[in-house]
Amino acid sequence: MHLSQLRRWILQSPPVEWAILQLRELLIGALRQGPIPQHVAFVMDGNRRFAKSHRIETVEGHNLGFEALARVLEICYKSGVKVVTVYAFSIENFKRSKYEVDGLMDMAKVKLAQLLQHGDLLDRYGVSIRVLGQRELIKPDLLADIERATKMTSRNGDAILNVCFPYTSHDEITTAIRSTVTDYSKPLPVQQRTFSESHIKHTLRSRHLSVAAEKIRERSRSPSSRGTSDVEDSTSSSATLHPDSPPEYPLPSGKDVDIVNPNLYPDPESITSKVLNDHMYTAGLPPLDLLIRTSGVERLSDFMLWQSHENTDIVFLKCLWPEFDLWQFLPVLVEWQWRRKKEEEQERGVRSIGGSIIRMKTS
């Protein structure tokens, strides 16, 4: 007990704090020399267990968890991460007791206010706040605070903080599919084309018939065909179409246009993963590079399932979220950089081998 107090006293002394701060800046600067993940997601787990193990109130554990989030955000944005996504509240949490749900909502309101109090951090790195999830499930007073927070930071465009609240991946995917079906149930817009196909056909047909009519008139001038000229002329006049005569269907005056596909709908076969991705909450954002969950639990808990692709690194750490800091984050980032550099070297090796084979074949 005395040793832990002495250790805490030493670490909190001004000279040691200054040295640690300088070391942090040096390490973050070193990280910036290599590749940096552009999109990082966190499952902030372990606030309650931290409070229980340290014999403090649960609310205090959540407060310490928020302080850890502020530290992590600064590390991410300072090192060059563009998008940070955090799992703040699951839709499944509504299955808990009303007392606990109301407590979590009130706590979310307090955390949002605290986040806005760190406005200097958000403004310094140009961070805009986005809330992803089913907003209709949020209490009206909390929803008003959320809209105010997003509006206050809407002009920031250098980085993004996605707060998933309330959210599950299954709900996000379902919403994206429903939105896609709605879009594909609308008829395509009417298109008008100059030099339409129908007008070209009409012109060619008129020219062809005018040539036939001229031949008939020439035959009618000869003595052998004079007796039948009246019949042929009457027949030709009823069967031919003069080039200057109007078409069999009206065209818009002044323009040679044609209405294309007036009742055509989008082809469902054209729905691809990119189409669905454009309807997700994270549409337009960089792919998820790194997903981290603390507290030692090794599951995703219905978080970022669609965004987790073949190149996403998923890391499970044993430390609790309030304990998460640069010293736990740094090894994860270094390992991520090492893997990216190794992949780049392998790609360069494959390209060089392919180029050598091509040169051998051409020589």
Side-chain angles (χ1 to χ4, degrees):
M1 184 67 179
H2 295 290
L3 291 177
S4 61
Q5 291 179 348
L6 178 62
R7 177 175 176 272
R8 189 181 305 110
W9 179 80
I10 294 175
L11 293 176
Q12 292 177 353
S13 61
V16 175
E17 285 186 348
W18 180 86
I20 293 176
L21 180 61
Q22 297 302 314
L23 180 59
R24 288 167 61 93
E25 295 295 328
L26 180 63
L27 293 174
I28 293 175
L31 285 174
R32 292 180 64 90
Q33 304 306 312
I36 295 295
Q38 295 301 289
H39 189 175
V40 180
F42 296 98
V43 180
M44 304 177 294
D45 193 14
N47 293 337
R48 291 184 177 185
R49 273 175 282 175
F50 182 87
K52 185 177 181 180
S53 62
H54 289 75
R55 298 181 180 180
I56 59 178
E57 295 292 334
T58 303
V59 175
E60 184 63 23
H62 287 292
N63 289 333
L64 294 175
F66 175 79
E67 294 179 3
L69 174 61
R71 293 193 304 266
V72 171
L73 290 178
E74 186 168 13
I75 295 170
C76 288
Y77 296 135
K78 187 176 291 186
S79 61
V81 177
K82 296 299 182 182
V83 181
V84 176
T85 302
V86 295
Y87 201 4
F89 191 88
S90 171
I91 294 178
E92 297 298 320
N93 289 339
F94 285 106
K95 296 180 180 179
R96 300 179 182 180
S97 65
K98 185 178 183 301
Y99 174 80
E100 188 172 2
V101 171
D102 290 341
L104 291 172
M105 287 290 180
D106 293 338
M107 186 176 301
K109 189 173 183 178
V110 173
K111 298 305 177 184
L112 184 61
Q114 291 178 347
L115 186 61
L116 293 178
Q117 290 176 359
H118 288 73
D120 55 340
L121 172 64
L122 301 177
D123 294 337
R124 188 188 316 149
Y125 299 104
V127 181
S128 62
I129 299 177
R130 299 182 183 180
V131 177
L132 313 182
Q134 291 291 346
R135 294 195 174 193
E136 60 270 16
L137 300 178
I138 304 176
K139 297 171 63 176
D141 56 339
L142 178 56
L143 182 60
D145 291 341
I146 290 174
E147 293 177 350
R148 182 170 61 89
T150 55
K151 184 177 180 180
M152 287 178 58
T153 61
S154 60
R155 295 184 179 180
N156 297 336
D158 296 333
I160 295 174
L161 171 60
N162 292 323
V163 181
C164 295
F165 179 91
Y167 169 93
T168 61
S169 278
H170 279 75
D171 179 75
E172 179 186 17
I173 296 172
T174 303
T175 302
I177 294 175
R178 187 183 300 115
S179 177
T180 303
V181 171
T182 301
D183 290 346
Y184 274 69
S185 300
K186 300 176 182 178
L188 294 172
V190 176
Q191 301 177 7
Q192 292 184 343
R193 300 184 304 184
T194 307
F195 305 109
S196 63
E197 182 181 355
S198 60
H199 179 72
I200 294 173
K201 289 182 179 179
H202 166 68
T203 303
L204 293 175
R205 182 167 176 264
S206 299
R207 291 179 179 177
H208 174 72
L209 295 177
S210 64
V211 172
E214 183 64 27
K215 291 181 178 179
I216 292 174
R217 283 194 292 270
E218 290 178 356
R219 288 198 300 270
S220 66
R221 295 191 188 99
S222 62
S224 60
S225 60
R226 186 176 300 273
T228 59
S229 62
D230 295 338
V231 178
E232 291 177 346
D233 286 344
S234 62
T235 305
S236 64
S237 63
S238 62
T240 59
L241 182 64
H242 195 273
D244 296 331
S245 63
E248 297 176 354
Y249 47 87
L251 287 174
S253 59
K255 293 183 180 179
D256 293 333
V257 298
D258 184 28
I259 298 177
V260 181
N261 300 332
N263 295 314
L264 187 63
Y265 290 84
D267 184 8
E269 296 295 332
S270 64
I271 299 177
T272 62
S273 60
K274 183 182 183 303
V275 174
L276 292 178
N277 191 67
D278 292 339
H279 289 80
M280 295 290 169
Y281 295 144
T282 56
L285 299 181
L288 182 61
D289 295 317
L290 182 60
L291 192 153
I292 299 175
R293 176 166 187 164
T294 56
S295 79
V297 177
E298 298 184 359
R299 62 174 181 266
L300 296 181
S301 298
D302 208 356
F303 177 60
M304 303 295 281
L305 300 183
W306 177 270
Q307 292 79 4
S308 300
H309 53 89
E310 66 275 9
N311 294 323
T312 301
D313 285 4
I314 301 177
V315 180
F316 300 103
L317 301 177
K318 293 184 178 180
C319 68
L320 304 177
W321 177 251
E323 301 170 336
F324 190 70
D325 197 355
L326 175 65
W327 315 115
Q328 289 78 26
F329 197 13
L330 181 62
V332 176
L333 291 177
V334 171
E335 184 177 359
W336 186 90
Q337 289 183 336
W338 178 80
R339 290 181 179 178
R340 297 292 86 77
K341 290 181 178 179
K342 187 176 180 180
E343 291 175 358
E344 291 176 0
E345 291 176 357
Q346 291 177 349
E347 291 178 358
R348 285 196 296 267
V350 171
R351 286 197 297 267
S352 62
I353 293 174
S356 300
I357 295 175
I358 292 175
R359 286 193 296 270
M360 291 174 62
K361 290 182 178 180
T362 55
S363 60

